[in-house]
Amino acid sequence: LAHPTPAELAPFATALNGFIARLRGALSRTETFIAEAAHHIRTPLATVRAQAEIALRQTNDEATRATLRSVIRAVEDSARSATQLLDHATVVYRSDQRTEEVLDLCTLTREIARTLAPTADLKDLTLAVATPDTAINVLGDRLLIESALRNLIDNAIKYSPPDGSIEIGLTHGTGGVVLTVADRGRGLSGATTPDLTARFRRGKNAADVVGSGLGLTIVEEVAAAHGGQFEITERTGGGTCAQLSLPLA
């Protein structure tokens, strides 16, 4: 608060500026902690998984192999949960501290799909991306929107059967743009968008798939932070259709 104030208000202005300085420091420390925690949690888990996979290849004892498979699955579950928790913490923090810029959603969607293509290839899945030739600009925080796109596409990959296709498209909606991610997976088993976007809530038919129950929560919170909407529904013929709507820049 730099505006000139009467002498009797000087103590109030000084106290307020001191509070703002402490709050700025606390927010900076929070951001630093999230970034460091992401590194210090993921790296040891990756090491444990690598060692377990090496041991699995070197042993022929079936009981030991079964134990190592359980260890690898537990590490995968822990790694995904840690990643999602940290991503969620980042989204919550940045929702109030957004760095807004004009983003071409077409380019961003293609880039995220490209980074996830190797994961899809492991299941022989095709990522069919259909975006307009011209740019579709939205005003938002790049990190948050990238996180939402990554979670949507990753979710579709996780729950799709092998040798299938995931359709990713961008269309103009009423006053904004709609990103659609449609798959031919196991569907929602009657669950609704509010059911699936609640923290740590997963569908009844997802128990056998590694997950944290935070992916769609992140998408919902990113949509709300940007004045958009998120909805996921059953797809005619089987599968799900997730739609993220964002206002145009």
Short mmCIF file of all heavy atoms in Angstrom, two decimals, residues 160-221:
data_model
loop_
_atom_site.label_atom_id
_atom_site.label_comp_id
_atom_site.label_asym_id
_atom_site.label_seq_id
_atom_site.Cartn_x
_atom_site.Cartn_y
_atom_site.Cartn_z
N SER A 160 -9.29 -47.44 -21.78
CA SER A 160 -9.63 -47.95 -23.12
C SER A 160 -9.05 -49.34 -23.31
O SER A 160 -7.95 -49.63 -22.84
CB SER A 160 -9.07 -47.02 -24.21
OG SER A 160 -9.75 -45.79 -24.23
N PRO A 161 -9.77 -50.21 -24.00
CA PRO A 161 -9.22 -51.55 -24.30
C PRO A 161 -8.15 -51.43 -25.37
O PRO A 161 -8.12 -50.45 -26.13
CB PRO A 161 -10.45 -52.31 -24.82
CG PRO A 161 -11.33 -51.24 -25.39
CD PRO A 161 -11.13 -50.04 -24.53
N PRO A 162 -7.23 -52.41 -25.45
CA PRO A 162 -6.18 -52.37 -26.48
C PRO A 162 -6.77 -52.35 -27.89
O PRO A 162 -7.92 -52.74 -28.13
CB PRO A 162 -5.39 -53.66 -26.23
CG PRO A 162 -5.70 -54.02 -24.80
CD PRO A 162 -7.10 -53.57 -24.56
N ASP A 163 -5.94 -51.89 -28.83
CA ASP A 163 -6.29 -51.87 -30.26
C ASP A 163 -7.50 -51.00 -30.55
O ASP A 163 -8.25 -51.27 -31.49
CB ASP A 163 -6.54 -53.29 -30.79
CG ASP A 163 -5.33 -54.18 -30.60
OD1 ASP A 163 -4.22 -53.74 -30.97
OD2 ASP A 163 -5.49 -55.30 -30.08
N GLY A 164 -7.70 -49.96 -29.76
CA GLY A 164 -8.83 -49.07 -29.98
C GLY A 164 -8.37 -47.70 -30.45
O GLY A 164 -7.23 -47.50 -30.85
N SER A 165 -9.29 -46.76 -30.41
CA SER A 165 -9.00 -45.40 -30.85
C SER A 165 -9.62 -44.40 -29.87
O SER A 165 -10.71 -44.63 -29.34
CB SER A 165 -9.56 -45.17 -32.26
OG SER A 165 -9.37 -43.84 -32.66
N ILE A 166 -8.91 -43.33 -29.62
CA ILE A 166 -9.41 -42.24 -28.77
C ILE A 166 -9.52 -41.00 -29.64
O ILE A 166 -8.55 -40.58 -30.29
CB ILE A 166 -8.46 -41.98 -27.58
CG1 ILE A 166 -8.41 -43.21 -26.68
CG2 ILE A 166 -8.90 -40.75 -26.79
CD1 ILE A 166 -7.32 -43.15 -25.62
N GLU A 167 -10.70 -40.42 -29.68
CA GLU A 167 -10.96 -39.27 -30.54
C GLU A 167 -10.86 -37.98 -29.73
O GLU A 167 -11.55 -37.80 -28.73
CB GLU A 167 -12.34 -39.40 -31.18
CG GLU A 167 -12.48 -40.63 -32.06
CD GLU A 167 -13.93 -40.91 -32.44
OE1 GLU A 167 -14.75 -39.97 -32.33
OE2 GLU A 167 -14.23 -42.05 -32.83
N ILE A 168 -9.98 -37.10 -30.16
CA ILE A 168 -9.75 -35.82 -29.49
C ILE A 168 -10.07 -34.71 -30.48
O ILE A 168 -9.48 -34.67 -31.57
CB ILE A 168 -8.28 -35.70 -29.02
CG1 ILE A 168 -7.91 -36.90 -28.14
CG2 ILE A 168 -8.05 -34.39 -28.29
CD1 ILE A 168 -6.42 -37.05 -27.90
N GLY A 169 -11.01 -33.84 -30.12
CA GLY A 169 -11.41 -32.80 -31.06
C GLY A 169 -11.70 -31.47 -30.39
O GLY A 169 -11.99 -31.40 -29.19
N LEU A 170 -11.62 -30.41 -31.19
CA LEU A 170 -11.94 -29.06 -30.74
C LEU A 170 -13.02 -28.48 -31.64
O LEU A 170 -12.91 -28.53 -32.87
CB LEU A 170 -10.70 -28.17 -30.80
CG LEU A 170 -9.63 -28.33 -29.72
CD1 LEU A 170 -8.41 -27.48 -30.06
CD2 LEU A 170 -10.17 -27.93 -28.36
N THR A 171 -14.06 -27.95 -31.03
CA THR A 171 -15.13 -27.32 -31.78
C THR A 171 -15.54 -26.02 -31.10
O THR A 171 -15.32 -25.84 -29.90
CB THR A 171 -16.37 -28.24 -31.88
OG1 THR A 171 -16.78 -28.60 -30.54
CG2 THR A 171 -16.07 -29.49 -32.68
N HIS A 172 -16.13 -25.13 -31.86
CA HIS A 172 -16.64 -23.88 -31.29
C HIS A 172 -17.99 -24.13 -30.64
O HIS A 172 -18.87 -24.76 -31.23
CB HIS A 172 -16.77 -22.81 -32.37
CG HIS A 172 -15.46 -22.22 -32.79
ND1 HIS A 172 -14.79 -21.28 -32.05
CD2 HIS A 172 -14.68 -22.48 -33.87
CE1 HIS A 172 -13.66 -20.96 -32.65
NE2 HIS A 172 -13.56 -21.67 -33.76
N GLY A 173 -18.14 -23.67 -29.40
CA GLY A 173 -19.41 -23.77 -28.70
C GLY A 173 -20.00 -22.38 -28.51
O GLY A 173 -19.55 -21.40 -29.11
N THR A 174 -21.02 -22.28 -27.67
CA THR A 174 -21.65 -20.99 -27.40
C THR A 174 -20.72 -20.12 -26.56
O THR A 174 -20.54 -20.34 -25.37
CB THR A 174 -22.99 -21.20 -26.65
OG1 THR A 174 -23.81 -22.09 -27.40
CG2 THR A 174 -23.70 -19.87 -26.46
N GLY A 175 -20.10 -19.14 -27.22
CA GLY A 175 -19.23 -18.21 -26.51
C GLY A 175 -17.89 -18.79 -26.11
O GLY A 175 -17.16 -18.20 -25.30
N GLY A 176 -17.53 -19.95 -26.64
CA GLY A 176 -16.26 -20.54 -26.24
C GLY A 176 -15.86 -21.69 -27.13
O GLY A 176 -16.36 -21.85 -28.24
N VAL A 177 -14.94 -22.49 -26.62
CA VAL A 177 -14.44 -23.65 -27.36
C VAL A 177 -14.66 -24.89 -26.51
O VAL A 177 -14.58 -24.84 -25.28
CB VAL A 177 -12.93 -23.48 -27.69
CG1 VAL A 177 -12.11 -23.29 -26.42
CG2 VAL A 177 -12.41 -24.67 -28.48
N VAL A 178 -14.95 -26.01 -27.15
CA VAL A 178 -15.22 -27.27 -26.46
C VAL A 178 -14.17 -28.29 -26.89
O VAL A 178 -14.04 -28.60 -28.08
CB VAL A 178 -16.64 -27.80 -26.76
CG1 VAL A 178 -16.86 -29.12 -26.02
CG2 VAL A 178 -17.69 -26.78 -26.38
N LEU A 179 -13.42 -28.79 -25.91
CA LEU A 179 -12.48 -29.89 -26.15
C LEU A 179 -13.18 -31.18 -25.79
O LEU A 179 -13.67 -31.35 -24.68
CB LEU A 179 -11.22 -29.72 -25.29
CG LEU A 179 -10.28 -30.93 -25.27
CD1 LEU A 179 -9.50 -31.00 -26.58
CD2 LEU A 179 -9.33 -30.86 -24.10
N THR A 180 -13.22 -32.12 -26.73
CA THR A 180 -13.87 -33.41 -26.52
C THR A 180 -12.85 -34.54 -26.58
O THR A 180 -12.04 -34.59 -27.50
CB THR A 180 -14.96 -33.65 -27.59
OG1 THR A 180 -15.92 -32.59 -27.54
CG2 THR A 180 -15.68 -34.97 -27.34
N VAL A 181 -12.89 -35.41 -25.58
CA VAL A 181 -12.05 -36.61 -25.56
C VAL A 181 -13.01 -37.80 -25.42
O VAL A 181 -13.63 -37.99 -24.37
CB VAL A 181 -11.03 -36.59 -24.41
CG1 VAL A 181 -10.21 -37.87 -24.42
CG2 VAL A 181 -10.12 -35.37 -24.51
N ALA A 182 -13.13 -38.58 -26.48
CA ALA A 182 -14.09 -39.70 -26.50
C ALA A 182 -13.36 -41.02 -26.67
O ALA A 182 -12.46 -41.14 -27.50
CB ALA A 182 -15.09 -39.50 -27.64
N ASP A 183 -13.75 -42.01 -25.86
CA ASP A 183 -13.11 -43.33 -25.95
C ASP A 183 -14.18 -44.41 -26.04
O ASP A 183 -15.37 -44.14 -25.94
CB ASP A 183 -12.20 -43.57 -24.74
CG ASP A 183 -12.95 -43.57 -23.42
OD1 ASP A 183 -13.84 -44.43 -23.23
OD2 ASP A 183 -12.65 -42.73 -22.54
N ARG A 184 -13.73 -45.64 -26.21
CA ARG A 184 -14.62 -46.80 -26.25
C ARG A 184 -14.28 -47.73 -25.09
O ARG A 184 -14.26 -48.95 -25.23
CB ARG A 184 -14.48 -47.54 -27.59
CG ARG A 184 -15.07 -46.80 -28.77
CD ARG A 184 -16.56 -46.63 -28.64
NE ARG A 184 -17.15 -45.94 -29.79
CZ ARG A 184 -18.42 -45.55 -29.83
NH1 ARG A 184 -19.20 -45.75 -28.77
NH2 ARG A 184 -18.89 -44.93 -30.88
N GLY A 185 -14.05 -47.15 -23.91
CA GLY A 185 -13.68 -47.91 -22.74
C GLY A 185 -14.86 -48.51 -22.01
O GLY A 185 -15.92 -48.77 -22.59
N ARG A 186 -14.72 -48.66 -20.71
CA ARG A 186 -15.70 -49.38 -19.90
C ARG A 186 -16.89 -48.55 -19.47
O ARG A 186 -17.80 -49.06 -18.82
CB ARG A 186 -15.01 -49.97 -18.68
CG ARG A 186 -14.30 -48.95 -17.80
CD ARG A 186 -13.53 -49.64 -16.69
NE ARG A 186 -12.40 -50.41 -17.20
CZ ARG A 186 -11.64 -51.19 -16.44
NH1 ARG A 186 -11.89 -51.32 -15.15
NH2 ARG A 186 -10.63 -51.85 -16.96
N GLY A 187 -16.91 -47.26 -19.80
CA GLY A 187 -18.06 -46.43 -19.44
C GLY A 187 -18.03 -45.97 -18.00
O GLY A 187 -17.02 -46.09 -17.30
N LEU A 188 -19.16 -45.44 -17.53
CA LEU A 188 -19.23 -44.82 -16.21
C LEU A 188 -20.01 -45.63 -15.18
O LEU A 188 -20.06 -45.25 -14.01
CB LEU A 188 -19.87 -43.42 -16.33
CG LEU A 188 -19.21 -42.45 -17.30
CD1 LEU A 188 -19.95 -41.12 -17.31
CD2 LEU A 188 -17.75 -42.23 -16.95
N SER A 189 -20.66 -46.70 -15.59
CA SER A 189 -21.47 -47.53 -14.67
C SER A 189 -22.49 -46.70 -13.89
O SER A 189 -22.69 -46.90 -12.70
CB SER A 189 -20.56 -48.29 -13.69
OG SER A 189 -19.76 -49.21 -14.36
N GLY A 190 -23.09 -45.76 -14.58
CA GLY A 190 -24.15 -44.96 -13.95
C GLY A 190 -23.67 -43.76 -13.16
O GLY A 190 -24.48 -42.98 -12.65
N ALA A 191 -22.36 -43.57 -13.02
CA ALA A 191 -21.83 -42.43 -12.27
C ALA A 191 -22.04 -41.13 -13.05
O ALA A 191 -22.09 -41.13 -14.29
CB ALA A 191 -20.35 -42.62 -11.98
N THR A 192 -22.18 -40.02 -12.33
CA THR A 192 -22.38 -38.72 -12.95
C THR A 192 -21.12 -37.87 -12.80
O THR A 192 -20.18 -38.24 -12.09
CB THR A 192 -23.57 -37.98 -12.31
OG1 THR A 192 -23.26 -37.77 -10.90
CG2 THR A 192 -24.84 -38.82 -12.41
N THR A 193 -21.12 -36.72 -13.45
CA THR A 193 -19.95 -35.83 -13.37
C THR A 193 -19.63 -35.44 -11.92
O THR A 193 -18.46 -35.52 -11.51
CB THR A 193 -20.17 -34.57 -14.23
OG1 THR A 193 -20.40 -34.95 -15.59
CG2 THR A 193 -18.95 -33.66 -14.18
N PRO A 194 -20.62 -35.01 -11.10
CA PRO A 194 -20.29 -34.68 -9.70
C PRO A 194 -19.72 -35.86 -8.92
O PRO A 194 -18.86 -35.68 -8.05
CB PRO A 194 -21.64 -34.24 -9.12
CG PRO A 194 -22.43 -33.76 -10.30
CD PRO A 194 -22.02 -34.67 -11.42
N ASP A 195 -20.18 -37.08 -9.24
CA ASP A 195 -19.64 -38.27 -8.56
C ASP A 195 -18.16 -38.44 -8.85
O ASP A 195 -17.36 -38.74 -7.95
CB ASP A 195 -20.39 -39.54 -9.01
CG ASP A 195 -21.84 -39.54 -8.60
OD1 ASP A 195 -22.16 -38.89 -7.59
OD2 ASP A 195 -22.65 -40.16 -9.31
N LEU A 196 -17.78 -38.27 -10.12
CA LEU A 196 -16.43 -38.59 -10.55
C LEU A 196 -15.44 -37.45 -10.34
O LEU A 196 -14.23 -37.66 -10.38
CB LEU A 196 -16.44 -38.98 -12.03
CG LEU A 196 -17.26 -40.24 -12.36
CD1 LEU A 196 -17.37 -40.43 -13.86
CD2 LEU A 196 -16.64 -41.46 -11.71
N THR A 197 -15.94 -36.22 -10.13
CA THR A 197 -15.02 -35.09 -9.93
C THR A 197 -14.79 -34.79 -8.45
O THR A 197 -13.99 -33.91 -8.13
CB THR A 197 -15.55 -33.82 -10.62
OG1 THR A 197 -16.88 -33.54 -10.16
CG2 THR A 197 -15.57 -33.98 -12.13
N ALA A 198 -15.46 -35.52 -7.57
CA ALA A 198 -15.19 -35.37 -6.14
C ALA A 198 -13.80 -35.93 -5.83
O ALA A 198 -13.35 -36.89 -6.47
CB ALA A 198 -16.26 -36.09 -5.32
N ARG A 199 -13.12 -35.35 -4.87
CA ARG A 199 -11.76 -35.79 -4.54
C ARG A 199 -11.73 -37.24 -4.09
O ARG A 199 -12.55 -37.67 -3.27
CB ARG A 199 -11.16 -34.90 -3.46
CG ARG A 199 -10.93 -33.46 -3.87
CD ARG A 199 -10.24 -32.70 -2.75
NE ARG A 199 -8.88 -33.17 -2.55
CZ ARG A 199 -8.14 -32.88 -1.48
NH1 ARG A 199 -8.67 -32.16 -0.50
NH2 ARG A 199 -6.92 -33.34 -1.37
N PHE A 200 -10.80 -38.01 -4.64
CA PHE A 200 -10.54 -39.41 -4.29
C PHE A 200 -11.74 -40.33 -4.58
O PHE A 200 -11.81 -41.42 -4.04
CB PHE A 200 -10.14 -39.54 -2.81
CG PHE A 200 -8.99 -38.67 -2.41
CD1 PHE A 200 -9.16 -37.62 -1.52
CD2 PHE A 200 -7.72 -38.88 -2.94
CE1 PHE A 200 -8.10 -36.80 -1.16
CE2 PHE A 200 -6.66 -38.07 -2.59
CZ PHE A 200 -6.85 -37.02 -1.69
N ARG A 201 -12.64 -39.87 -5.45
CA ARG A 201 -13.77 -40.72 -5.85
C ARG A 201 -13.48 -41.31 -7.22
O ARG A 201 -13.07 -40.62 -8.14
CB ARG A 201 -15.06 -39.88 -5.90
CG ARG A 201 -15.54 -39.42 -4.53
CD ARG A 201 -16.25 -40.52 -3.78
NE ARG A 201 -17.46 -40.95 -4.44
CZ ARG A 201 -18.64 -40.33 -4.30
NH1 ARG A 201 -18.74 -39.24 -3.52
NH2 ARG A 201 -19.71 -40.76 -4.90
N ARG A 202 -13.72 -42.62 -7.35
CA ARG A 202 -13.52 -43.29 -8.63
C ARG A 202 -14.77 -44.09 -8.97
O ARG A 202 -15.58 -44.40 -8.10
CB ARG A 202 -12.30 -44.21 -8.57
CG ARG A 202 -11.02 -43.52 -8.14
CD ARG A 202 -9.85 -44.47 -8.17
NE ARG A 202 -9.53 -44.87 -9.55
CZ ARG A 202 -8.86 -45.96 -9.87
NH1 ARG A 202 -8.48 -46.81 -8.90
NH2 ARG A 202 -8.59 -46.25 -11.11
N GLY A 203 -14.89 -44.43 -10.25
CA GLY A 203 -16.03 -45.22 -10.67
C GLY A 203 -16.01 -46.62 -10.08
O GLY A 203 -14.95 -47.15 -9.72
N LYS A 204 -17.18 -47.23 -9.97
CA LYS A 204 -17.29 -48.57 -9.40
C LYS A 204 -16.57 -49.62 -10.24
O LYS A 204 -16.22 -50.69 -9.74
CB LYS A 204 -18.76 -48.94 -9.24
CG LYS A 204 -19.53 -48.04 -8.28
CD LYS A 204 -21.00 -48.42 -8.23
CE LYS A 204 -21.79 -47.49 -7.30
NZ LYS A 204 -23.23 -47.82 -7.29
N ASN A 205 -16.38 -49.32 -11.52
CA ASN A 205 -15.76 -50.31 -12.42
C ASN A 205 -14.28 -50.03 -12.65
O ASN A 205 -13.69 -50.50 -13.61
CB ASN A 205 -16.49 -50.30 -13.77
CG ASN A 205 -16.48 -48.92 -14.42
OD1 ASN A 205 -16.08 -47.93 -13.80
ND2 ASN A 205 -16.93 -48.86 -15.66
N ALA A 206 -13.64 -49.24 -11.76
CA ALA A 206 -12.24 -48.85 -11.97
C ALA A 206 -11.29 -49.43 -10.94
O ALA A 206 -10.13 -49.02 -10.88
CB ALA A 206 -12.14 -47.33 -11.96
N ALA A 207 -11.75 -50.39 -10.15
CA ALA A 207 -10.92 -50.90 -9.05
C ALA A 207 -9.65 -51.59 -9.53
O ALA A 207 -8.63 -51.59 -8.83
CB ALA A 207 -11.74 -51.87 -8.20
N ASP A 208 -9.67 -52.18 -10.73
CA ASP A 208 -8.51 -52.93 -11.21
C ASP A 208 -7.50 -52.06 -11.96
O ASP A 208 -6.48 -52.56 -12.43
CB ASP A 208 -8.98 -54.06 -12.14
CG ASP A 208 -9.73 -53.53 -13.35
OD1 ASP A 208 -10.52 -52.59 -13.18
OD2 ASP A 208 -9.51 -54.05 -14.46
N VAL A 209 -7.77 -50.76 -12.06
CA VAL A 209 -6.88 -49.85 -12.77
C VAL A 209 -6.23 -48.90 -11.77
O VAL A 209 -6.90 -48.35 -10.89
CB VAL A 209 -7.66 -49.02 -13.83
CG1 VAL A 209 -6.72 -48.05 -14.54
CG2 VAL A 209 -8.33 -49.95 -14.83
N VAL A 210 -4.90 -48.73 -11.89
CA VAL A 210 -4.18 -47.84 -10.98
C VAL A 210 -4.68 -46.40 -11.15
O VAL A 210 -4.78 -45.90 -12.27
CB VAL A 210 -2.66 -47.90 -11.25
CG1 VAL A 210 -1.93 -46.86 -10.41
CG2 VAL A 210 -2.13 -49.29 -10.94
N GLY A 211 -5.03 -45.76 -10.05
CA GLY A 211 -5.51 -44.38 -10.11
C GLY A 211 -5.63 -43.79 -8.72
O GLY A 211 -5.62 -44.51 -7.72
N SER A 212 -5.75 -42.45 -8.67
CA SER A 212 -5.80 -41.77 -7.38
C SER A 212 -7.15 -41.14 -7.09
O SER A 212 -7.42 -40.73 -5.96
CB SER A 212 -4.73 -40.67 -7.34
OG SER A 212 -5.01 -39.68 -8.33
N GLY A 213 -8.01 -41.02 -8.10
CA GLY A 213 -9.29 -40.35 -7.89
C GLY A 213 -9.17 -38.84 -7.87
O GLY A 213 -10.06 -38.15 -7.36
N LEU A 214 -8.08 -38.30 -8.45
CA LEU A 214 -7.89 -36.85 -8.48
C LEU A 214 -7.82 -36.27 -9.89
O LEU A 214 -7.88 -35.06 -10.06
CB LEU A 214 -6.60 -36.47 -7.74
CG LEU A 214 -6.65 -36.49 -6.20
CD1 LEU A 214 -5.27 -36.26 -5.63
CD2 LEU A 214 -7.62 -35.44 -5.69
N GLY A 215 -7.69 -37.13 -10.89
CA GLY A 215 -7.53 -36.64 -12.27
C GLY A 215 -8.67 -35.75 -12.72
O GLY A 215 -8.46 -34.64 -13.20
N LEU A 216 -9.90 -36.23 -12.57
CA LEU A 216 -11.05 -35.45 -13.01
C LEU A 216 -11.33 -34.29 -12.07
O LEU A 216 -11.91 -33.29 -12.48
CB LEU A 216 -12.28 -36.36 -13.14
CG LEU A 216 -12.18 -37.46 -14.20
CD1 LEU A 216 -13.49 -38.23 -14.30
CD2 LEU A 216 -11.81 -36.88 -15.57
N THR A 217 -10.91 -34.42 -10.80
CA THR A 217 -11.02 -33.29 -9.87
C THR A 217 -10.18 -32.13 -10.38
O THR A 217 -10.61 -30.97 -10.35
CB THR A 217 -10.52 -33.70 -8.46
OG1 THR A 217 -11.24 -34.85 -8.02
CG2 THR A 217 -10.72 -32.57 -7.47
N ILE A 218 -8.98 -32.44 -10.85
CA ILE A 218 -8.09 -31.41 -11.39
C ILE A 218 -8.73 -30.74 -12.61
O ILE A 218 -8.73 -29.51 -12.74
CB ILE A 218 -6.73 -32.02 -11.75
CG1 ILE A 218 -5.97 -32.41 -10.47
CG2 ILE A 218 -5.90 -31.08 -12.60
CD1 ILE A 218 -4.70 -33.21 -10.71
N VAL A 219 -9.31 -31.55 -13.51
CA VAL A 219 -9.95 -30.99 -14.71
C VAL A 219 -11.10 -30.06 -14.31
O VAL A 219 -11.23 -28.94 -14.85
CB VAL A 219 -10.47 -32.12 -15.62
CG1 VAL A 219 -11.18 -31.54 -16.84
CG2 VAL A 219 -9.33 -33.03 -16.06
N GLU A 220 -11.92 -30.49 -13.36
CA GLU A 220 -13.06 -29.68 -12.91
C GLU A 220 -12.58 -28.35 -12.32
O GLU A 220 -13.15 -27.28 -12.59
CB GLU A 220 -13.85 -30.47 -11.86
CG GLU A 220 -14.92 -29.69 -11.13
CD GLU A 220 -16.18 -29.48 -11.94
OE1 GLU A 220 -16.35 -30.17 -12.98
OE2 GLU A 220 -16.98 -28.62 -11.56
N GLU A 221 -11.53 -28.39 -11.51
CA GLU A 221 -11.04 -27.17 -10.86
C GLU A 221 -10.37 -26.23 -11.86
O GLU A 221 -10.47 -25.01 -11.73
CB GLU A 221 -10.09 -27.54 -9.72
CG GLU A 221 -10.82 -28.23 -8.56
CD GLU A 221 -9.90 -28.57 -7.40
OE1 GLU A 221 -8.67 -28.39 -7.54
OE2 GLU A 221 -10.41 -29.02 -6.37
#
